[in-house]
Amino acid sequence: MHVAVRLTLLVVLLVVAGGLAVHHGTTYDENWPHPSGDQLEGDVDAYVGEQILLFGEVQTTEPDAITIHVTNDANEVVLELEAYGVEESVEPGGIVQVYGVLEGDRTMTPEETVVVDPSPTATIYKYVVSALGGVLAVGYFFRHWRINIRGLAFEPRKSGVTDDG
């Protein structure tokens, strides 16, 4: 395959991927069935009595309840929610998802709770492990392959084993 064909194909694929990313970004909020922090900021009472999914940072934990701060895009607290009956272990500063009916007194007994990050250090751990995995994968790849710059291709490395018979 000629270099010009490869570059043209690469540009077309990048334009298509960019177009899909822009489309997703512009239609995401319209197609999400649950209120975001920005939508709650306008009128929390409009969602009272509805099944909603909220994401928030845990502020306090008690044996039977946790207090969650739901924020908007500017990271301002728009709702302080008391969630009762959460059985999963989470520390203050952790991130949770709660799904259930929002009550008028800003409480919820969630049907389902998912702990995204059980503590503030969980996010750092995820990034470090992901970066380490990426470095190992790239290192393994380049141990067995090399770049041919003239041909814009990857070529297998010679194994060093000779067949002298």
Side-chain angles (χ1 to χ4, degrees), residues 90-105:
V90 63
E91 298 175 13
I95 307 296
V96 296
Q97 300 174 13
V98 290
Y99 178 73
V101 177
L102 180 64
E103 302 297 330
D105 58 351

Side-chain angles (χ1 to χ4, degrees), residues 6-79:
R6 287 182 182 183
L7 289 175
T8 303
L9 184 60
L10 176 65
V11 168
V12 168
L13 290 174
L14 287 175
V15 168
V16 168
L20 288 172
V22 168
H23 172 72
H24 175 75
T26 57
T27 62
Y28 179 77
D29 287 338
E30 298 164 7
N31 295 320
W32 182 250
H34 304 287
S36 66
D38 290 330
Q39 292 167 329
L40 285 171
E41 183 177 25
D43 188 17
V44 175
D45 294 329
Y47 299 99
V48 170
E50 290 189 27
Q51 291 273 117
I52 59 174
L53 173 66
L54 296 174
F55 298 77
E57 181 179 337
V58 175
Q59 298 301 307
T60 61
T61 60
E62 298 174 13
D64 63 337
I66 60 174
T67 303
I68 303 166
H69 280 178
V70 178
T71 58
N72 60 10
D73 287 340
N75 211 22
E76 299 167 342
V77 176
V78 295
L79 174 64

